[in-house]
Amino acid sequence: MKPTFNVREQSEIYIGPTADILSGVLPEGRVIVVSDATIDRLYHPLLAPYDTVLIGAGESIKTLQTVESIYRRFIELGADRSTFVLAVGGGIVTDVAGFAAATYMRGLSFGFVSTTLLGQVDASVGGKNGVNVDGYKNMAGTFTQPRFVICDPALLRTLPDREFRAGLAEVVKAAVIADADLFACIAQNTFGQLRSDAELLADVVAAAIRVKTDIVGRDERERGERRKLNLGHTLAHAIEKCSPAMNHGEAVAVGTALIADAAVRLGVLPDADRVRIRELLARLGFDLTPPVAMPLLLKEVVRDKKREDGLLHVVLPVGIGDCTVRPMTPEAFAALFD
């Protein structure tokens, strides 16, 4: 099977059944799987042929301590530089396992089977791997491309509604950034239709991945255009730090709505498009009310890891399917929410 997308001739992205793809892309030799207990229970026959390292679940385990535990397990299993690491799970598993593989013995090759919508359309694609430090998102990480990523829409059937909805926030983000047709497609369908129509879901996943792979292909290390993929994330990361009960997709939805409001205040986004963005997110089931007061969020924004020379690179939508990046001081950014 040929890959659906290819990132910089380094990372092949496949959309289709895992069973049909995996045997053809795994290299010969030793394979160690990194996953979590839920995935092991749901897909044990897939993992059973390999030595497996299981990690915990949830954002709280995305830490250097978890990576250290993976290193120790690799040592116990005798992993060497010829070992291939296969991460099977959602975005937290792929982020942590990718970071561990990229740094163990100065780097092992690795690939992903992405089992969540958020993972398939965003976290597993593009070569960013990392962990949080003291609750601050992805403060330790690498740019290292997985050899392959398998995005199997059939695996998404086991997701709870909340986790599926979280992935839709990243799909909407991709649409606002660079695909007006994708935005229209989501707007024309209900949450239930997106969940139940396998062909529709595969098309949506492919469209969102296309936005990301196109941008990453031009700017792998986030020196320019890749910053656009952070739409809504400056505030979303602050929301996650202040309100751990909110998952990443929920925080992205709130952050996207807030930055759309700010873009209207700056005069770069028509109010009609702001309304469309907010209405679509609300119709998909997101509560767009910030979980804590804005002054608390803005206090965390100044610690954003993407700050450079004292400036934030703020991603502003300028229309459905188009956005711009504007450097701002933290004070100027905060003034948008007075």
Side-chain angles (χ1 to χ4, degrees):
M1 179 179 289
K2 292 183 178 180
T4 309
F5 303 101
N6 194 305
V7 181
R8 302 177 67 85
E9 303 301 321
Q10 299 171 31
S11 182
E12 296 179 337
I13 316 297
Y14 296 85
I15 300 176
T18 304
D20 295 347
I21 299 168
L22 187 59
S23 61
V25 296
L26 276 178
E28 294 183 2
R30 180 81 181 280
V31 174
I32 295 178
V33 168
V34 178
S35 191
D36 63 34
T38 299
I39 297 301
D40 186 52
R41 174 175 55 81
L42 290 171
Y43 305 111
H44 186 72
L46 176 67
L47 279 55
Y50 311 105
D51 288 319
T52 301
V53 180
L54 297 182
I55 62 176
E59 194 75 24
S60 64
I61 65 91
K62 193 177 167 182
T63 64
L64 289 167
Q65 289 75 22
T66 299
V67 173
E68 188 174 2
S69 73
I70 295 173
Y71 292 157
R72 291 199 175 99
R73 183 65 175 140
F74 282 176
I75 292 169
E76 290 174 2
L77 293 171
D80 59 28
R81 288 182 178 173
S82 68
T83 300
F84 187 85
V85 176
L86 177 65
V88 183
I92 290 172
V93 169
T94 57
D95 272 2
V96 173
F99 180 76
T103 52
Y104 182 80
M105 288 189 170
R106 297 189 174 90
L108 306 184
S109 295
F110 59 94
F112 298 151
V113 175
S114 187
T115 62
T116 66
L117 180 58
L118 193 150
Q120 290 185 10
V121 301
D122 186 62
S124 68
V125 175
K128 279 187 177 181
N129 315 282
V131 295
N132 306 335
V133 178
D134 292 338
Y136 294 105
K137 295 281 289 186
N138 301 318
M139 280 292 184
T142 70
F143 286 99
T144 310
Q145 294 292 343
R147 185 177 297 184
F148 62 79
V149 181
I150 298 173
C151 300
D152 183 352
L155 300 182
L156 305 180
R157 288 196 295 261
T158 60
L159 285 181
D161 279 353
R162 186 184 180 195
E163 294 303 317
F164 186 85
R165 181 175 290 108
L168 288 177
E170 290 285 0
V171 176
V172 173
K173 179 204 77 174
V176 173
I177 289 169
D179 194 336
D181 290 339
L182 174 58
F183 190 96
C185 174
I186 305 165
Q188 290 165 6
N189 290 278
T190 65
F191 177 85
Q193 288 169 320
L194 291 163
R195 275 235 67 164
S196 61
D197 187 329
E199 185 175 350
L200 171 65
L201 181 57
D203 289 344
V204 165
V205 168
I209 292 174
R210 181 178 291 107
V211 170
K212 185 160 190 179
T213 56
D214 284 352
I215 290 174
V216 173
R218 294 188 291 271
D219 176 26
E220 181 182 24
R221 292 182 173 265
E222 203 168 304
R223 295 188 175 98
E225 189 177 5
R226 186 167 181 165
R227 291 172 176 146
K228 291 180 179 179
L229 295 171
N230 297 319
L231 177 70
H233 282 58
T234 297
L235 285 164
H237 289 165
I239 289 167
E240 288 180 89
K241 180 67 170 61
C242 293
S243 180
M246 184 167 276
N247 67 34
H248 180 66
E250 292 163 346
V252 168
V254 176
T256 300
L258 290 172
I259 205 65
D261 294 344
V264 171
R265 293 189 192 103
L266 279 171
V268 300
L269 179 71
D271 189 60
D273 286 341
R274 178 193 70 85
V275 171
R276 290 177 66 197
I277 292 168
R278 276 189 161 271
E279 286 184 344
L280 177 56
L281 289 168
R283 195 162 63 80
L284 291 173
F286 291 105
D287 180 353
L288 301 180
T289 305
V292 297
M294 284 303 299
L296 292 176
L297 295 182
L298 294 168
K299 183 178 178 181
E300 294 298 336
V301 164
V302 301
R303 297 183 174 95
D304 193 293
K305 68 180 185 299
K306 296 180 176 66
R307 190 178 69 254
E308 296 177 12
D309 296 325
L311 297 175
L312 299 167
H313 294 283
V314 180
V315 188
L316 298 164
V318 299
I320 304 298
D322 193 13
C323 64
T324 188
V325 181
R326 180 177 293 191
M328 286 186 189
T329 64
E331 293 77 16
F333 182 77
L336 296 174
F337 304 96
D338 285 343

